């Protein structure tokens, strides 16, 4: 099975990686079929864990390789990386200002982005979908870098990043489906909306892989772009959501555990 995966074109590898992470979002959303209630403390801890994975992935899997690669290409190492990081953060900040969305656990009156009459459920799904844009890009860029035979990029590292993102996608699917169930929405619709939030990941993974394959010099910028976008999402959305309900110690411990797990995955496999 592994040999078959390695023989596939890199864009197809990225697509499968995005589908793999999407499946974990669906698994998290599927918990709604098994229970009516979910422990809020545990959910906040899991959201903290997701944030820790994203920050660790940004550093270990994206920024460090981007700096090494920029130096190897004889660029001023910090310049393309800093530019990509800033571009990623500004891009997500603009999406945050434009796309109507609602953070989990917040009343609909506190929806962000452009004013709209979208349903509460749709606003929740859009919020999580925004989380998944940089994650899909990161997966695609990682597999695209492997295709270019760059020493800093390994298939093990790309797979480690994919596994880490998949693990943190589980609580994101759960974080959409369970609040909707508490509002009386049917289990099937809760699951549908929960998994729907990650459909963007395979799409962005393909785009990320294609971009770096077609434009090799842009790879350090692309890696840093994904990192900047992910860090913005963590600070602007994931951390506030995990701390909102008064379980700060649990959320903080979850964040540190997620950072540690992703670090081990990246260093151990990459």
């Amino acid at each position: 099975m592994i040999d078959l995966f390695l023989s596939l074109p890199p864009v197809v590898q990225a697509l499968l990686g995005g589908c793999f992470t999407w499946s974990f979002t669906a698994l998290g959303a599927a918990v709604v079929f098994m229970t009516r209630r979910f422990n809020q403390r545990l959910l906040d801890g899991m959201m903290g864990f997701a944030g820790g994975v994203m920050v660790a992935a940004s550093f270990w899997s994206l920024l460090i390789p981007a700096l090494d690669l920029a130096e190897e290409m004889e660029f001023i190492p910090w310049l393309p990386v800093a530019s990509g990081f800033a571009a990623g953060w500004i891009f997500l900040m603009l999406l945050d200002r434009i796309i109507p969305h609602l953070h989990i656990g917040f009343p609909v009156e506190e929806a962000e982005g452009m004013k709209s009459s979208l349903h509460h459920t749709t606003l929740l799904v859009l919020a999580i979908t925004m989380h998944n844009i940089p994650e899909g890009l990161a997966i695609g860029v990682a597999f695209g870098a492997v295709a270019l035979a760059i020493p800093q990029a390994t298939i093990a590292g790309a797979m480690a990043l994919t596994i880490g993102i998949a693990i943190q996608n589980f609580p994101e699917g759960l974080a959409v489906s369970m609040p909707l169930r508490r509002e009386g929405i049917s289990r099937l619709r809760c699951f549908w909306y929960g998994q729907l939030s990650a459909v963007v990941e395979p799409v962005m993974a393909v785009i990320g892989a294609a971009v770096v394959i077609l434009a090799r010099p842009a790879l350090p910028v692309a890696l840093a772009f994904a990192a900047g976008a992910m860090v913005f999402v963590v600070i602007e959305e994931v951390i506030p959501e995990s701390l909102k309900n008064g379980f700060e110690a649990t959320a903080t411990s979850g964040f540190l555990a997620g950072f540690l797990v992703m670090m081990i995955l990246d260093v151990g496999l990459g």
Side-chain angles (χ1 to χ4, degrees), residues 46-63 85 92 127-136 138 161 163-169 171-172 201 223 226-239 241 254-263:
M46 293 174 74
M47 288 301 292
F49 182 92
V53 168
M54 292 173 73
V55 170
S58 299
F59 182 72
W60 297 99
S61 301
L62 299 172
L63 288 176
F85 188 90
L92 257 292
I128 300 296
T129 300
M130 287 174 59
H131 289 195
N132 292 321
I133 290 174
E135 294 166 14
L161 175 63
I163 292 169
I165 290 175
I167 291 170
Q168 67 90 38
N169 271 5
E172 289 190 349
E201 284 195 4
L223 288 165
M230 285 212 288
V231 171
F232 175 85
V233 165
V234 171
I235 295 172
E236 208 277 336
E237 298 193 18
V238 178
I239 289 177
E241 288 168 12
F255 181 96
L256 294 172
F259 188 98
L260 185 62
V261 167
M262 188 63 225
M263 182 185 70

Side-chain angles (χ1 to χ4, degrees), residues 245-265:
N245 301 293
F247 302 116
E248 293 90 348
T250 302
T252 302
S253 297
F255 181 96
L256 294 172
F259 188 98
L260 185 62
V261 167
M262 188 63 225
M263 182 185 70
I264 293 170
L265 276 174

